[in-house]
């Protein structure tokens, strides 16, 4: 090796450009997660209703998003929205939409599972003191269910962050895409730069995800101890 | 008198900051049945578990058959073949049949041959009335039946000492008697040395040669069985017996 | 949507289908082996190896497969290790999947009740016998649901192989779209192809979970 190539990171505005790409990545993950969690919570509550057709439709929605890989989902929306619906959204909005719908699907299942795990005794006790449907949700079920949702939701967030790596596939100017531009621009002078650029992106992802996954683990253990007492 | 089978002297056990057992000392002679009585939380089960290496203790010595127990994992693994233990939750291995559960110890741990072990095991199964269930899985048995198998599983190793830790506490009342009868036969006809933790006072009265009464992690009194139930020495024990409606 | 276009593309998709299955199978088998070894090291707290396993699983679980593949495919040749795209794909899937499988197995081992382990100790099992007769059979049975979820997850992850131009299903579809622009048809076939793999598989795995659970624990 002539030289290590690490100076690719410090040359010019390279590092700042990478951080800018990272910010776009994070922003998409954040916005999609917030929309997805809100929408998914609502769908999760709806999935506990006795309405059978509604349950079937929502279940199909979940299964579709579970079966089709996220890469394919991105391309489906990227190609089909403009073509079939004449909707020309910028790539990062398409990505936000896809991620939000995907998060909502997964979230709906987390919320449904948690709501159903609140015991029937609690449900009946609430009904016995005359609470109506929404009061039952508001005062009995949701307060007991939401701590149960928390670990799985944090886990879902780590998956969202990892999945943002796919943004580059539909040409969003995310951290990976910018990394590739830098690698190509410096390929002649700095063939080893590829190692450092991908290395730093690797590190970025780890630094975001590691605390999240530790938190999820902590929450899970906390919950296990609570249920064993 | 010959040397005791088990000698516990000045045993101390604490868990993190809490002291669970204080200065526990007693002897157990071969053929003797010692019952541990006391209010819940008095440390009876913990003491029993210390005697089988399931809990470590911080001070004191255990001597079993003249051998000082050093609390090394290897030594406990050897000793457990001589000290059988039966638990409240039976804990048969769910993925193995009754016979496999029983044979694991003699065949795999003691490396004895199947031909010599099998007749012994058949006899034990016969004694506890479970001969027809040798190929059943634990899921097909009732709680009382599982507990009888768990007793046979421990006996199959030919232990010199048996520890019974509240073995009837999770059983339906009508099954309790069957299991207790088996334990009593073991004492009467086989002169098995036993340490028993139980809440069944009638049973304790029938079986105990000695009673060790524990409260707050200390031995309050050690008294011969018949005498303990008539005239306990300490007021703690009097109150305890009164509270057990006995 | 044109049936003729779909029909013409089917031979190519069939090739991609087979390649997806082949790479996924190799990757998943490798991941299960790596995961089992790691979880045993972790469970028995083997010296030296335990911290290595911990670092590996944290790194693999907390970084995207796409970057792992880029590293293998573009950055490793600089160190002198040159691999074909398919080799990178399999290694990447094993690297990622191994950490997920390790977590699945560990969850199973942790799920064994303390009293079962004590019952084994009480009949004098050595450490190895305890592993052989109690921990492995029960831990493996308890980890089946998590492993099944990982299998589905890893098959879907093979779609990311397209970034290093492995001609699996997704790559086949994107290539065809790039050449002929029949997006509707090709994406339709692509979704159906994944459904053909994943729907029966998830039904089989659910059935298997139930069988193993009943066979081991009786409920």
């Amino acid at each position: 090796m002539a030289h290590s190539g690490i100076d690719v990171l410090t040359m010019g505005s390279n590092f700042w450009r990478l951080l800018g790409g990272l910010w776009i990545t994070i922003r998409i993950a954040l916005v999609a997660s917030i929309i997805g969690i809100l929408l998914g919570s609502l769908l999760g509550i709806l999935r506990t209703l006795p309405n059978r057709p509604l349950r079937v439709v929502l279940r199909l929605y979940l299964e579709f998003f579970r079966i089709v890989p996220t890469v394919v989902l991105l391309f489906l929306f990227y190609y089909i929205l403009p073509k079939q619906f004449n909707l020309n959204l910028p790539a990062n909005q398409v990505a936000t939409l896809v991620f939000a719908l995907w998060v909502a699907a997964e979230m709906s299942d987390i919320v449904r599972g948690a709501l159903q795990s609140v015991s029937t005794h609690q449900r009946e006790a609430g009904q016995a003191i005359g609470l109506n449907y929404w009061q039952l949700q508001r005062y009995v079920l949701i307060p007991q269910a939401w701590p149960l949702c928390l670990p799985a939701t944090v886990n879902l967030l780590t998956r969202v962050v990892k999945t943002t790596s796919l943004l580059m596939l539909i040409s969003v100017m995310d951290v990976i895409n910018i990394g590739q531009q830098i690698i190509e621009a410096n390929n002649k002078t700095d063939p080893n730069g590829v190692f450092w650029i991908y290395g730093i992106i690797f590190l970025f992802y780890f630094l975001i995800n590691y605390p999240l996954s530790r938190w999820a683990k902590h929450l899970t253990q906390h919950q296990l101890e609570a249920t064993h007492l | 008198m010959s040397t005791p089978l088990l000698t516990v002297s000045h045993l101390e056990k604490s868990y993190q900051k809490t002291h669970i057992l204080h200065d526990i000392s007693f002897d157990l002679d071969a053929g003797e049945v010692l019952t541990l009585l006391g209010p819940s939380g008095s440390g009876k089960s913990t003491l029993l578990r210390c005697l089988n290496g399931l809990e470590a203790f911080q001070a004191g010595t255990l001597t079993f058959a003249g051998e000082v127990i050093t609390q090394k994992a290897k030594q406990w693994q050897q000793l457990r073949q001589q000290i059988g233990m039966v638990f409240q939750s039976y804990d048969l291995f769910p993925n193995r049949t009754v016979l496999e559960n029983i044979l694991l110890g003699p065949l795999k741990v003691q490396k004895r041959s199947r031909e010599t072990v099998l007749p012994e095991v058949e006899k034990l199964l016969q004694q506890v009335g479970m001969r027809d269930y040798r190929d059943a899985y634990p899921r097909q048995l009732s709680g009382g039946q599982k507990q009888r198998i768990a007793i046979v599983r421990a006996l199959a190793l030919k232990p010199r000492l048996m520890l019974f830790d509240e073995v009837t506490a999770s059983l339906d009342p009508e099954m309790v008697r069957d299991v207790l009868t088996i334990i009593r036969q073991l004492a009467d006809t086989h002169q098995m040395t036993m340490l028993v933790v139980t809440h069944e006072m009638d049973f304790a009265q029938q079986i105990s040669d000695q009673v060790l009464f524990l409260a707050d992690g200390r031995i309050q009194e050690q008294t011969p069985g018949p005498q303990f139930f008539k005239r306990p020495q300490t007021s703690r024990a009097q109150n305890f017996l009164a509270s057990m409606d006995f | 949507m044109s049936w003729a276009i779909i029909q013409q593309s089917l031979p190519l998709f069939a090739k991609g289908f087979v390649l997806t299955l082949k790479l996924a199978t190799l990757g998943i088998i490798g991941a299960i082996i790596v995961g089992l070894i790691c979880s045993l090291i972790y469970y028995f707290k083997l010296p030296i190896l335990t911290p290595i396993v911990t670092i590996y699983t944290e790194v693999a679980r907390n970084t995207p497969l796409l970057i792992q593949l880029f590293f293998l495919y573009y950055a490793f040749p600089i160190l002198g290790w040159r691999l074909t795209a398919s080799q990178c794909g399999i290694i990447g899937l094993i690297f990622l999947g191994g950490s997920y499988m390790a977590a699945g197995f560990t969850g199973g081992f942790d799920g064994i009740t303390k009293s079962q382990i004590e019952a084994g100790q009480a009949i004098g099992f050595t450490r190895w016998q305890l592993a052989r007769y109690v921990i492995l059979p029960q831990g493996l049975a308890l980890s089946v649901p998590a492993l099944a979820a990982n299998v589905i997850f890893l098959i879907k992850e093979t779609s990311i192989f397209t970034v290093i131009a492995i001609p699996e299903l997704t790559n086949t579809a994107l290539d065809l779209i790039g050449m002929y622009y029949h997006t509707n048809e090709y994406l339709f076939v692509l979704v159906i192809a994944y459904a053909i793999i994943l729907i029966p598989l998830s039904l089989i795995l659910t059935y298997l979970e139930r069988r193993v659970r009943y066979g081991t624990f009786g409920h």
Side-chain angles (χ1 to χ4, degrees), chain C residues 109-185:
Chain C
F109 293 142
D110 288 346
I112 303 170
T113 57
K114 194 165 158 248
S115 61
Q116 278 285 313
I117 291 170
E118 289 180 349
Q121 289 174 330
I123 58 172
F125 278 158
T126 60
R127 236 159 88 96
W128 164 242
Q129 285 169 333
L130 201 61
R132 160 83 179 73
Y133 296 110
V134 181
I135 293 162
L136 276 175
Q138 294 189 29
L140 294 184
L142 287 169
S143 50
V144 168
L147 303 187
N150 289 344
V151 166
I152 303 276
F153 163 74
L154 290 176
I155 292 175
K156 285 165 66 183
E157 288 288 282
T158 59
S159 60
I160 297 174
F161 289 176
T162 187
V163 299
I164 51 172
I166 297 174
E168 44 68 67
L169 275 172
T170 302
N171 191 263
T172 305
L174 295 180
D175 261 8
L176 283 167
I177 291 172
M179 284 187 286
Y180 307 111
Y181 302 105
H182 301 302
T183 38
N184 291 358
E185 286 81 0

Side-chain angles (χ1 to χ4, degrees), chain B residues 49-207:
Chain B
R49 291 163 60 82
C50 284
L51 302 180
N52 202 24
L54 295 175
E55 304 276 353
F57 51 89
Q58 282 72 39
T61 44
L62 296 182
T63 314
F64 181 79
E67 187 185 356
V68 175
I69 298 172
T70 54
Q71 296 209 66
K72 295 234 170 68
K74 187 76 198 158
Q75 191 189 21
W76 271 125
Q77 190 256 317
Q78 298 289 331
L79 274 171
R80 284 180 184 132
Q81 299 169 38
Q82 299 180 55
I83 306 177
M85 183 154 183
V86 185
F87 303 87
Q88 176 181 341
S89 49
Y90 346 115
D91 276 289
L92 299 180
F93 304 125
N95 52 330
R96 298 194 167 256
T97 64
V98 163
L99 192 64
E100 287 169 347
N101 260 281
I102 299 168
L103 289 179
L104 275 175
L107 299 190
K108 304 295 173 188
V109 178
Q110 297 182 324
K111 315 273 186 222
R112 295 164 62 201
S113 77
R114 201 182 168 89
E115 295 81 68
T116 53
V117 177
L118 207 52
E120 295 173 13
V121 169
E122 297 274 4
K123 205 172 137 203
L124 286 169
L125 281 173
Q126 172 97 38
Q127 281 168 12
V128 301
M130 292 293 294
R131 204 179 160 177
D132 298 338
Y133 295 89
R134 47 177 272 176
D135 296 318
Y137 279 91
R139 60 173 172 267
Q140 297 162 311
L141 306 181
S142 71
Q145 291 173 322
K146 282 186 216 172
Q147 195 58 294
R148 283 186 259 169
I149 299 303
I151 292 172
V152 172
R153 182 173 69 177
L155 290 175
L157 291 162
K158 298 191 175 174
R160 298 169 70 184
L161 168 64
M162 284 288 285
L163 311 175
F164 291 96
D165 188 8
E166 304 209 26
V167 292
T168 57
S170 349
L171 296 180
D172 285 341
E174 59 263 40
M175 296 179 174
V176 170
R177 211 182 44 226
D178 291 344
V179 170
L180 293 182
T181 308
I182 288 165
I183 298 175
R184 214 171 59 222
Q185 279 171 359
L186 204 57
D188 293 347
T189 56
H190 300 269
Q191 274 77 48
M192 177 61 78
T193 318
M194 303 183 194
L195 255 163
V196 182
V197 171
T198 184
H199 282 122
E200 302 283 336
M201 287 300 135
D202 285 314
F203 169 69
Q205 189 174 21
Q206 290 162 19
I207 200 171

Side-chain angles (χ1 to χ4, degrees), chain C residues 68-90:
Chain C
Q68 295 168 4
L69 292 176
F70 276 175
F71 229 91
L72 284 169
Y73 194 62
Y74 295 114
F76 267 36
I78 289 179
L79 300 175
W81 302 327
R82 199 168 295 278
L83 300 163
T84 68
S86 289
Q87 286 168 340
C88 286
I90 294 169

